[in-house]
Amino acid sequence: MVVIITWIFLPKDLYNYLDSERRAETEEGDANKVIRYFAAKKETDHGFYFNYTTRPNGQLEKLFWADSICRLDYSYFGNVVAFDACYERNVYNIPLVTLVGMNHHRQPIIFACALLENERTSSYSWLLNELLNCMGNKQPTSIVTDGDLAMRSAVQHVLPNAVHRLCIWHIEKNASKEVKIANFKEDFVKVMLAPVDVVVFESLWTSLIEKYSLQKHIWIEYMHNLNKIGF
């Protein structure tokens, strides 16, 4: 008599197998693997730059990196640098920040990337200092951010001569999120981008607020205060 044994391999079994394999590969820790990878990368790309800090227990705190192409691009196009912070969008729930610019073909280019432990001024200051260390101390003439006050403080401290500007894309996105009134975003953006002096801007701003009855709206007051403090 022949006995046939059949093993039923369910999707869950496949998932568990792949998960165990992944854990075995990263037993030493993801951070250590990244550092070792960057060290190896430096052997083949002599212009590759990275630096990091760790906590007393050895856990990765902050990590900055830029390859030779990033550094070359910065040497030509690093006068304007924009922060692109993808907060809490990665598996480690920590900010991934890319410093980006635009080349002579109006194409976006990456100057550097960093993983930070938090969104505090000290972290952003460390990031900007690493940018200067990496790029031969060439300072950008203009910095574009989403309006985060910790970023603003870091820029003022590390790059006091840089002009600080708000990203219009973030402004439009926040306007749609914070004020859900038909046609408001369009009118709001027109006022924000109006090529006028301070007196005319204040008049346009007042008319906008009265039109949509937003005299006591917290976000509207916040945006107006940002304008007053020099963004």
Side-chain angles (χ1 to χ4, degrees), residues 26-70:
T26 59
E27 187 175 8
E28 64 176 312
D30 289 352
N32 288 332
K33 290 198 69 173
V34 169
I35 300 305
R36 288 200 298 108
Y37 171 79
F38 281 173
K41 178 76 173 175
K42 197 172 178 64
E43 295 296 322
T44 57
D45 179 0
H46 298 301
F48 188 84
Y49 176 97
F50 76 99
N51 198 10
Y52 62 96
T53 66
T54 58
R55 298 188 178 93
N57 62 0
Q59 189 175 17
L60 186 65
E61 207 173 35
K62 296 184 285 287
L63 174 65
F64 175 99
W65 70 95
D67 64 19
S68 56
I69 300 300
C70 293

Side-chain angles (χ1 to χ4, degrees), residues 74 78-79 81 131-132 135-142 158-162:
Y74 185 89
N79 291 329
V81 176
L131 177 69
L132 296 180
M135 304 302 180
N137 205 42
K138 176 181 177 179
Q139 301 194 18
T141 58
S142 184
V158 181
L159 303 170
N161 296 321

Side-chain angles (χ1 to χ4, degrees), residues 61-62 87 94-95 116-124:
E61 207 173 35
K62 296 184 285 287
Y87 301 133
I94 59 177
L116 304 177
E117 59 178 332
N118 53 49
E119 304 167 44
R120 298 174 183 171
T121 298
S122 57
S123 292
Y124 290 127

Side-chain angles (χ1 to χ4, degrees), residues 77-117:
F77 310 110
N79 291 329
V80 179
V81 176
F83 272 78
D84 185 6
C86 303
Y87 301 133
E88 302 179 354
R89 293 181 186 176
N90 51 70
V91 68
Y92 301 102
N93 205 36
I94 59 177
L96 168 64
V97 180
T98 53
L99 301 177
V100 300
M102 186 175 293
N103 65 18
H104 54 303
H105 296 297
R106 299 185 66 81
Q107 298 170 324
I109 49 178
I110 296 177
F111 295 137
C113 299
L115 288 172
L116 304 177
E117 59 178 332

Side-chain angles (χ1 to χ4, degrees), residues 94-204:
I94 59 177
L96 168 64
V97 180
T98 53
L99 301 177
V100 300
M102 186 175 293
N103 65 18
H104 54 303
H105 296 297
R106 299 185 66 81
Q107 298 170 324
I109 49 178
I110 296 177
F111 295 137
C113 299
L115 288 172
L116 304 177
E117 59 178 332
N118 53 49
E119 304 167 44
R120 298 174 183 171
T121 298
S122 57
S123 292
Y124 290 127
S125 294
W126 180 87
L127 168 59
L128 291 176
N129 277 310
E130 283 304 315
L131 177 69
L132 296 180
N133 291 336
C134 174
M135 304 302 180
N137 205 42
K138 176 181 177 179
Q139 301 194 18
T141 58
S142 184
I143 294 285
V144 182
T145 75
D146 63 358
D148 182 84
L149 294 180
M151 283 186 190
R152 175 179 180 270
S153 180
V155 169
Q156 287 181 329
H157 177 68
V158 181
L159 303 170
N161 296 321
V163 177
H164 191 183
R165 292 290 182 259
L166 292 177
C167 173
I168 188 60
W169 183 84
H170 283 101
I171 292 176
E172 289 188 35
K173 182 179 178 181
N174 290 333
S176 299
K177 176 182 176 182
E178 299 293 340
V179 183
K180 295 178 172 54
I181 302 177
N183 302 320
F184 169 78
K185 187 190 78 171
E186 290 74 14
D187 289 345
F188 174 77
V189 172
K190 287 179 182 178
V191 172
M192 294 298 292
L193 297 181
V196 297
D197 60 25
V198 175
V199 175
V200 177
F201 173 83
E202 289 296 336
S203 177
L204 293 174

